[in-house]
Amino acid sequence: MTTDSLRSGPGTTGRSSGGGGHSARLPDREHLPARGSTTAADVTVLDVVVPVHNEEKDLRPCVVRLNGHLARTFPYPFRITVADNASTDSTPAVAAALAAELPGVRYVRLAEKGRGRALRTVWAQSDAPVLAYMDVDLSTDLNALLPLVAPLISGHSDLAIGSRLSRSSRVVRGPKREFVSRAYNLILRSSLAAGFSDAQCGFKAIRREVAERLLPMVEDSGWFFDTELLVLAERAGLRIHEVPVDWIDDPDSTVRIVRTATDDLKGVWRVGRALAVGALPLDRLARPFGDDPRDRALTGVERGPASRLVGFCFVGALSTLFYLALYSLFRLGVGPQFANGGALLVSAVANTAANRRLTFGVRGRDGAFRHQAQGLVVFAIGLALTSGSLAALGAATGSPAHGTELAVLITANLAATVLRFLLLRAWVFPERRATERDDVEARLPAAAALPVRDEAEDAR
């Protein structure tokens, strides 16, 4: 991935941040210069990227309108970056002319296509603490731009997205695109447990220090880039702010719906598989509790016993149903003791993996083998309780009915479940030590308040 040319208009600043976010530790949290500072007026707070490919017709009116809107309404220094993905028409000439004509506009030319590739390249080079992008057709009402980036400027959120699926959004588009959009987001919710409402709206923003850590984990360079970015951020516990938008479909859009949908489904499968096996180092994105000086005395904020218990009960309920189904299946060919042992072994492995991820929030492969080994010890205790109950039932009744066996097993499993939770919490997944939490917290600084535009800058 190379940048063929970088042309900046007057008044812009730029530095390549490269991979500065990949160091072992990030610097301590510090506020940027505030109103009245001698350097505040020189700090570009927002960099809005407009990725384009063969957009010679729409590019000039888009950039002129966006630049005018920001100059009129946005209270901080800004930059607009046109990211050209290997256009073959006159888009490069139009973009270069805009960069020379309008202060605060720059032009980046890439040799390869891909919206994700363009965003990754420009965001990695930008020195602005808040990075955003929008589609060149400006389908989204620009009045949503300030509400989009305000939570990032204030330090409240890590990412922000425009949502066309919010109840208060106003959207004009055809039934085919409406169906595809809602179906895609339904797939994300059901397969990847996504909590955000609109993955593909071309109207998003991210804080730079988050992007430096998050972008290296995102593999896609095309349209799935947005979705992958959001899924990983959400799984890492970052805060995603959603803004309802007014959106009008562009009838001349060149997006190939079928091909894009196919690529997105492949991306969903790839990301889901990576998350399932814990292949992504999401702990690198851990956030401290807050930015108040008093928060520095906190060693970390873990999920409380109540929330852990709820998660454990949910996993336990599913595991019990899985166990009973396996027992009934195994019972068709073997005796009750072998059926119980086999069903309990398989369900115990699944239960430990689910509790590791969902209840106790342990991610990655580190310690997975040890956790499963300890889980098997817990399994042995559960096996002793349930097998002992079956043996006692057989001794008392001789040949009990299948329903009676299940009733005894459920009762024994309830007792084993209580003991399993206590052992998992105290022994298999104990609370992390303060030093471990401090090391994780130091990896990503909390959001710092950004500088306010100087009054002299406003007057200018």
Side-chain angles (χ1 to χ4, degrees), residues 148-193:
L148 180 81
V149 301
L152 309 187
I153 292 174
S154 69
H156 175 269
S157 300
D158 300 297
L159 299 91
I161 65 174
S163 176
R164 299 163 295 184
L165 302 181
S166 172
R167 290 188 177 183
S168 57
S169 298
R170 296 184 297 178
V171 177
V172 178
R173 61 177 167 182
K176 181 171 69 172
R177 286 184 176 272
E178 181 75 12
F179 172 79
V180 170
S181 177
R182 292 188 178 275
Y184 178 64
N185 283 281
L186 180 61
I187 291 173
L188 292 182
R189 288 177 177 271
S190 58
S191 61
L192 298 178

Tab-separated table of all heavy atoms in Angstrom, residues 148-193:
chain	number	residue	atom	x	y	z
A	148	LEU	N	-21.987	14.182	15.768
A	148	LEU	CA	-21.227	12.944	15.592
A	148	LEU	C	-19.890	13.016	16.319
A	148	LEU	O	-19.509	12.072	17.028
A	148	LEU	CB	-21.000	12.681	14.103
A	148	LEU	CG	-20.220	11.415	13.765
A	148	LEU	CD1	-21.131	10.197	13.819
A	148	LEU	CD2	-19.566	11.533	12.384
A	149	VAL	N	-19.168	14.123	16.159
A	149	VAL	CA	-17.806	14.202	16.695
A	149	VAL	C	-17.745	14.805	18.086
A	149	VAL	O	-16.710	14.688	18.769
A	149	VAL	CB	-16.892	15.006	15.743
A	149	VAL	CG1	-16.850	14.349	14.381
A	149	VAL	CG2	-17.357	16.459	15.630
A	150	ALA	N	-18.823	15.439	18.550
A	150	ALA	CA	-18.791	16.083	19.869
A	150	ALA	C	-18.437	15.115	20.999
A	150	ALA	O	-17.619	15.453	21.863
A	150	ALA	CB	-20.128	16.774	20.150
A	151	PRO	N	-19.010	13.894	21.053
A	151	PRO	CA	-18.629	12.975	22.138
A	151	PRO	C	-17.171	12.544	22.080
A	151	PRO	O	-16.593	12.176	23.102
A	151	PRO	CB	-19.572	11.773	21.925
A	151	PRO	CG	-20.696	12.291	21.106
A	151	PRO	CD	-20.090	13.332	20.229
A	152	LEU	N	-16.562	12.579	20.895
A	152	LEU	CA	-15.148	12.242	20.781
A	152	LEU	C	-14.282	13.414	21.214
A	152	LEU	O	-13.242	13.238	21.845
A	152	LEU	CB	-14.817	11.848	19.336
A	152	LEU	CG	-15.707	10.787	18.690
A	152	LEU	CD1	-15.149	10.384	17.332
A	152	LEU	CD2	-15.858	9.570	19.581
A	153	ILE	N	-14.702	14.616	20.897
A	153	ILE	CA	-13.968	15.808	21.307
A	153	ILE	C	-13.994	15.957	22.826
A	153	ILE	O	-12.994	16.297	23.453
A	153	ILE	CB	-14.563	17.061	20.631
A	153	ILE	CG1	-14.291	17.016	19.125
A	153	ILE	CG2	-13.987	18.336	21.233
A	153	ILE	CD1	-14.964	18.116	18.349
A	154	SER	N	-15.141	15.668	23.426
A	154	SER	CA	-15.273	15.807	24.875
A	154	SER	C	-14.585	14.674	25.634
A	154	SER	O	-14.367	14.781	26.837
A	154	SER	CB	-16.751	15.839	25.265
A	154	SER	OG	-17.349	14.572	25.046
A	155	GLY	N	-14.268	13.579	24.950
A	155	GLY	CA	-13.663	12.434	25.621
A	155	GLY	C	-14.670	11.445	26.153
A	155	GLY	O	-14.304	10.500	26.836
A	156	HIS	N	-15.929	11.616	25.815
A	156	HIS	CA	-16.956	10.703	26.322
A	156	HIS	C	-16.952	9.354	25.615
A	156	HIS	O	-17.165	8.317	26.229
A	156	HIS	CB	-18.337	11.350	26.169
A	156	HIS	CG	-19.474	10.454	26.542
A	156	HIS	ND1	-20.113	9.637	25.630
A	156	HIS	CD2	-20.081	10.238	27.731
A	156	HIS	CE1	-21.062	8.951	26.239
A	156	HIS	NE2	-21.074	9.295	27.513
A	157	SER	N	-16.693	9.357	24.294
A	157	SER	CA	-16.789	8.130	23.512
A	157	SER	C	-15.523	7.915	22.703
A	157	SER	O	-14.719	8.826	22.520
A	157	SER	CB	-18.009	8.190	22.578
A	157	SER	OG	-19.209	8.340	23.319
A	158	ASP	N	-15.373	6.679	22.198
A	158	ASP	CA	-14.207	6.298	21.419
A	158	ASP	C	-14.476	6.319	19.924
A	158	ASP	O	-13.605	6.664	19.131
A	158	ASP	CB	-13.749	4.896	21.825
A	158	ASP	CG	-13.372	4.824	23.290
A	158	ASP	OD1	-12.419	5.510	23.680
A	158	ASP	OD2	-14.039	4.092	24.036
A	159	LEU	N	-15.672	5.914	19.534
A	159	LEU	CA	-16.101	5.935	18.141
A	159	LEU	C	-17.502	6.516	18.068
A	159	LEU	O	-18.232	6.517	19.076
A	159	LEU	CB	-16.122	4.530	17.515
A	159	LEU	CG	-14.813	3.744	17.440
A	159	LEU	CD1	-14.654	2.880	18.687
A	159	LEU	CD2	-14.784	2.855	16.203
A	160	ALA	N	-17.892	6.985	16.898
A	160	ALA	CA	-19.247	7.498	16.699
A	160	ALA	C	-19.709	7.127	15.300
A	160	ALA	O	-18.917	7.152	14.349
A	160	ALA	CB	-19.295	9.013	16.892
A	161	ILE	N	-20.978	6.766	15.177
A	161	ILE	CA	-21.513	6.371	13.875
A	161	ILE	C	-22.861	7.038	13.653
A	161	ILE	O	-23.621	7.289	14.587
A	161	ILE	CB	-21.679	4.838	13.770
A	161	ILE	CG1	-22.726	4.328	14.757
A	161	ILE	CG2	-20.352	4.133	13.996
A	161	ILE	CD1	-23.056	2.845	14.608
A	162	GLY	N	-23.153	7.337	12.405
A	162	GLY	CA	-24.487	7.771	12.044
A	162	GLY	C	-25.374	6.564	11.829
A	162	GLY	O	-24.941	5.542	11.299
A	163	SER	N	-26.613	6.660	12.262
A	163	SER	CA	-27.535	5.533	12.143
A	163	SER	C	-28.768	5.943	11.348
A	163	SER	O	-29.466	6.892	11.710
A	163	SER	CB	-27.958	5.024	13.524
A	163	SER	OG	-28.927	4.002	13.398
A	164	ARG	N	-29.015	5.193	10.276
A	164	ARG	CA	-30.234	5.401	9.484
A	164	ARG	C	-31.386	4.563	10.009
A	164	ARG	O	-32.514	4.696	9.535
A	164	ARG	CB	-29.962	5.022	8.030
A	164	ARG	CG	-28.878	5.847	7.363
A	164	ARG	CD	-28.365	5.196	6.105
A	164	ARG	NE	-27.701	3.932	6.403
A	164	ARG	CZ	-27.082	3.180	5.494
A	164	ARG	NH1	-27.033	3.586	4.229
A	164	ARG	NH2	-26.498	2.044	5.832
A	165	LEU	N	-31.103	3.687	10.969
A	165	LEU	CA	-32.121	2.761	11.469
A	165	LEU	C	-32.664	3.162	12.830
A	165	LEU	O	-33.449	2.429	13.422
A	165	LEU	CB	-31.531	1.343	11.534
A	165	LEU	CG	-30.998	0.800	10.204
A	165	LEU	CD1	-30.473	-0.614	10.370
A	165	LEU	CD2	-32.069	0.850	9.130
A	166	SER	N	-32.236	4.315	13.340
A	166	SER	CA	-32.800	4.818	14.587
A	166	SER	C	-34.237	5.279	14.342
A	166	SER	O	-34.599	5.704	13.235
A	166	SER	CB	-31.957	5.987	15.109
A	166	SER	OG	-32.586	6.603	16.209
A	167	ARG	N	-35.052	5.207	15.366
A	167	ARG	CA	-36.467	5.586	15.208
A	167	ARG	C	-36.627	7.050	14.847
A	167	ARG	O	-37.596	7.429	14.186
A	167	ARG	CB	-37.223	5.290	16.511
A	167	ARG	CG	-37.396	3.808	16.791
A	167	ARG	CD	-38.314	3.574	17.968
A	167	ARG	NE	-38.542	2.149	18.202
A	167	ARG	CZ	-39.355	1.669	19.139
A	167	ARG	NH1	-40.010	2.506	19.936
A	167	ARG	NH2	-39.510	0.373	19.276
A	168	SER	N	-35.698	7.882	15.288
A	168	SER	CA	-35.817	9.311	15.007
A	168	SER	C	-35.113	9.725	13.719
A	168	SER	O	-35.099	10.899	13.365
A	168	SER	CB	-35.261	10.136	16.178
A	168	SER	OG	-33.920	9.786	16.443
A	169	SER	N	-34.503	8.760	13.009
A	169	SER	CA	-33.877	9.073	11.726
A	169	SER	C	-34.940	9.246	10.653
A	169	SER	O	-36.020	8.647	10.724
A	169	SER	CB	-32.919	7.948	11.312
A	169	SER	OG	-31.880	7.795	12.250
A	170	ARG	N	-34.607	10.068	9.666
A	170	ARG	CA	-35.497	10.249	8.517
A	170	ARG	C	-34.729	9.826	7.270
A	170	ARG	O	-33.720	10.434	6.924
A	170	ARG	CB	-35.955	11.699	8.411
A	170	ARG	CG	-36.800	12.147	9.610
A	170	ARG	CD	-37.322	13.548	9.427
A	170	ARG	NE	-36.244	14.526	9.339
A	170	ARG	CZ	-36.442	15.822	9.133
A	170	ARG	NH1	-37.668	16.295	8.989
A	170	ARG	NH2	-35.395	16.651	9.059
A	171	VAL	N	-35.240	8.802	6.602
A	171	VAL	CA	-34.506	8.166	5.508
A	171	VAL	C	-35.391	8.075	4.278
A	171	VAL	O	-36.563	7.696	4.363
A	171	VAL	CB	-34.021	6.753	5.919
A	171	VAL	CG1	-33.327	6.062	4.750
A	171	VAL	CG2	-33.082	6.851	7.116
A	172	VAL	N	-34.795	8.421	3.137
A	172	VAL	CA	-35.477	8.285	1.852
A	172	VAL	C	-34.625	7.370	0.975
A	172	VAL	O	-33.522	7.750	0.548
A	172	VAL	CB	-35.661	9.652	1.162
A	172	VAL	CG1	-36.332	9.471	-0.201
A	172	VAL	CG2	-36.478	10.593	2.031
A	173	ARG	N	-35.114	6.171	0.716
A	173	ARG	CA	-34.409	5.245	-0.169
A	173	ARG	C	-35.367	4.164	-0.631
A	173	ARG	O	-36.452	3.958	-0.064
A	173	ARG	CB	-33.211	4.615	0.524
A	173	ARG	CG	-33.504	3.798	1.748
A	173	ARG	CD	-32.210	3.181	2.269
A	173	ARG	NE	-32.358	2.636	3.609
A	173	ARG	CZ	-31.359	2.080	4.289
A	173	ARG	NH1	-30.171	2.002	3.754
A	173	ARG	NH2	-31.546	1.610	5.513
A	174	GLY	N	-34.961	3.447	-1.675
A	174	GLY	CA	-35.808	2.435	-2.271
A	174	GLY	C	-35.946	1.201	-1.400
A	174	GLY	O	-35.146	0.962	-0.490
A	175	PRO	N	-36.985	0.397	-1.677
A	175	PRO	CA	-37.249	-0.792	-0.850
A	175	PRO	C	-36.128	-1.825	-0.912
A	175	PRO	O	-35.869	-2.522	0.069
A	175	PRO	CB	-38.557	-1.342	-1.437
A	175	PRO	CG	-38.636	-0.768	-2.820
A	175	PRO	CD	-37.983	0.566	-2.740
A	176	LYS	N	-35.433	-1.947	-2.054
A	176	LYS	CA	-34.367	-2.947	-2.162
A	176	LYS	C	-33.216	-2.625	-1.213
A	176	LYS	O	-32.750	-3.491	-0.474
A	176	LYS	CB	-33.858	-3.037	-3.594
A	176	LYS	CG	-32.765	-4.083	-3.782
A	176	LYS	CD	-32.437	-4.298	-5.243
A	176	LYS	CE	-31.743	-3.103	-5.839
A	176	LYS	NZ	-31.262	-3.385	-7.222
A	177	ARG	N	-32.775	-1.384	-1.212
A	177	ARG	CA	-31.685	-0.986	-0.319
A	177	ARG	C	-32.128	-1.039	1.140
A	177	ARG	O	-31.335	-1.379	2.017
A	177	ARG	CB	-31.188	0.405	-0.678
A	177	ARG	CG	-30.356	0.439	-1.943
A	177	ARG	CD	-29.809	1.832	-2.202
A	177	ARG	NE	-28.933	1.860	-3.353
A	177	ARG	CZ	-27.632	1.628	-3.321
A	177	ARG	NH1	-27.047	1.343	-2.169
A	177	ARG	NH2	-26.904	1.673	-4.419
A	178	GLU	N	-33.371	-0.691	1.398
A	178	GLU	CA	-33.880	-0.755	2.770
A	178	GLU	C	-33.854	-2.188	3.277
A	178	GLU	O	-33.431	-2.468	4.409
A	178	GLU	CB	-35.306	-0.201	2.822
A	178	GLU	CG	-35.938	-0.202	4.199
A	178	GLU	CD	-35.391	0.890	5.106
A	178	GLU	OE1	-34.683	1.784	4.613
A	178	GLU	OE2	-35.676	0.832	6.327
A	179	PHE	N	-34.297	-3.122	2.442
A	179	PHE	CA	-34.321	-4.534	2.830
A	179	PHE	C	-32.904	-5.063	3.053
A	179	PHE	O	-32.629	-5.749	4.049
A	179	PHE	CB	-35.029	-5.358	1.753
A	179	PHE	CG	-34.940	-6.845	1.980
A	179	PHE	CD1	-35.761	-7.472	2.909
A	179	PHE	CD2	-34.019	-7.614	1.269
A	179	PHE	CE1	-35.672	-8.843	3.129
A	179	PHE	CE2	-33.930	-8.975	1.483
A	179	PHE	CZ	-34.761	-9.582	2.415
A	180	VAL	N	-31.994	-4.745	2.122
A	180	VAL	CA	-30.618	-5.235	2.238
A	180	VAL	C	-29.966	-4.702	3.510
A	180	VAL	O	-29.288	-5.438	4.242
A	180	VAL	CB	-29.798	-4.834	0.993
A	180	VAL	CG1	-28.322	-5.132	1.212
A	180	VAL	CG2	-30.303	-5.576	-0.232
A	181	SER	N	-30.170	-3.423	3.799
A	181	SER	CA	-29.555	-2.810	4.976
A	181	SER	C	-30.053	-3.447	6.259
A	181	SER	O	-29.268	-3.802	7.146
A	181	SER	CB	-29.840	-1.302	4.991
A	181	SER	OG	-29.308	-0.695	6.146
A	182	ARG	N	-31.361	-3.605	6.363
A	182	ARG	CA	-31.924	-4.177	7.596
A	182	ARG	C	-31.574	-5.656	7.728
A	182	ARG	O	-31.320	-6.143	8.833
A	182	ARG	CB	-33.446	-3.968	7.630
A	182	ARG	CG	-33.833	-2.502	7.795
A	182	ARG	CD	-35.308	-2.320	8.027
A	182	ARG	NE	-35.638	-0.923	8.237
A	182	ARG	CZ	-35.570	-0.295	9.417
A	182	ARG	NH1	-35.196	-0.987	10.491
A	182	ARG	NH2	-35.884	0.974	9.526
A	183	ALA	N	-31.558	-6.373	6.618
A	183	ALA	CA	-31.198	-7.789	6.673
A	183	ALA	C	-29.747	-7.956	7.102
A	183	ALA	O	-29.413	-8.835	7.914
A	183	ALA	CB	-31.427	-8.440	5.303
A	184	TYR	N	-28.878	-7.097	6.584
A	184	TYR	CA	-27.457	-7.193	6.933
A	184	TYR	C	-27.235	-6.924	8.414
A	184	TYR	O	-26.490	-7.650	9.091
A	184	TYR	CB	-26.656	-6.211	6.084
A	184	TYR	CG	-25.181	-6.190	6.397
A	184	TYR	CD1	-24.392	-7.319	6.180
A	184	TYR	CD2	-24.570	-5.056	6.909
A	184	TYR	CE1	-23.035	-7.305	6.456
A	184	TYR	CE2	-23.216	-5.032	7.185
A	184	TYR	CZ	-22.454	-6.162	6.963
A	184	TYR	OH	-21.114	-6.149	7.243
A	185	ASN	N	-27.872	-5.890	8.930
A	185	ASN	CA	-27.705	-5.580	10.349
A	185	ASN	C	-28.336	-6.639	11.234
A	185	ASN	O	-27.862	-6.889	12.351
A	185	ASN	CB	-28.290	-4.198	10.646
A	185	ASN	CG	-27.380	-3.072	10.190
A	185	ASN	OD1	-26.404	-2.731	10.839
A	185	ASN	ND2	-27.704	-2.494	9.039
A	186	LEU	N	-29.395	-7.300	10.758
A	186	LEU	CA	-29.978	-8.419	11.503
A	186	LEU	C	-28.996	-9.580	11.556
A	186	LEU	O	-28.847	-10.237	12.599
A	186	LEU	CB	-31.286	-8.856	10.846
A	186	LEU	CG	-32.017	-10.033	11.509
A	186	LEU	CD1	-32.397	-9.684	12.956
A	186	LEU	CD2	-33.263	-10.415	10.714
A	187	ILE	N	-28.279	-9.828	10.449
A	187	ILE	CA	-27.265	-10.882	10.427
A	187	ILE	C	-26.161	-10.577	11.422
A	187	ILE	O	-25.683	-11.455	12.155
A	187	ILE	CB	-26.696	-11.038	9.002
A	187	ILE	CG1	-27.758	-11.625	8.072
A	187	ILE	CG2	-25.450	-11.913	9.007
A	187	ILE	CD1	-27.342	-11.651	6.614
A	188	LEU	N	-25.734	-9.312	11.485
A	188	LEU	CA	-24.684	-8.926	12.428
A	188	LEU	C	-25.128	-9.147	13.870
A	188	LEU	O	-24.354	-9.613	14.709
A	188	LEU	CB	-24.300	-7.463	12.223
A	188	LEU	CG	-23.583	-7.112	10.918
A	188	LEU	CD1	-23.244	-5.624	10.902
A	188	LEU	CD2	-22.317	-7.933	10.755
A	189	ARG	N	-26.355	-8.806	14.161
A	189	ARG	CA	-26.861	-8.978	15.533
A	189	ARG	C	-26.960	-10.441	15.910
A	189	ARG	O	-26.660	-10.827	17.043
A	189	ARG	CB	-28.231	-8.304	15.670
A	189	ARG	CG	-28.169	-6.780	15.673
A	189	ARG	CD	-29.565	-6.186	15.732
A	189	ARG	NE	-29.520	-4.733	15.800
A	189	ARG	CZ	-29.454	-4.022	16.922
A	189	ARG	NH1	-29.426	-4.663	18.078
A	189	ARG	NH2	-29.413	-2.717	16.907
A	190	SER	N	-27.392	-11.278	14.976
A	190	SER	CA	-27.609	-12.687	15.305
A	190	SER	C	-26.315	-13.498	15.284
A	190	SER	O	-26.158	-14.443	16.055
A	190	SER	CB	-28.609	-13.305	14.317
A	190	SER	OG	-28.146	-13.184	12.985
A	191	SER	N	-25.366	-13.133	14.419
A	191	SER	CA	-24.148	-13.934	14.277
A	191	SER	C	-22.990	-13.406	15.113
A	191	SER	O	-22.221	-14.194	15.675
A	191	SER	CB	-23.731	-14.004	12.808
A	191	SER	OG	-23.447	-12.702	12.305
A	192	LEU	N	-22.838	-12.084	15.197
A	192	LEU	CA	-21.719	-11.487	15.923
A	192	LEU	C	-22.159	-10.737	17.170
A	192	LEU	O	-21.339	-10.084	17.814
A	192	LEU	CB	-20.941	-10.539	15.000
A	192	LEU	CG	-20.286	-11.170	13.768
A	192	LEU	CD1	-19.584	-10.102	12.930
A	192	LEU	CD2	-19.302	-12.250	14.173
A	193	ALA	N	-23.445	-10.830	17.508
A	193	ALA	CA	-23.990	-10.168	18.699
A	193	ALA	C	-23.691	-8.669	18.697
A	193	ALA	O	-23.390	-8.076	19.727
A	193	ALA	CB	-23.447	-10.819	19.973
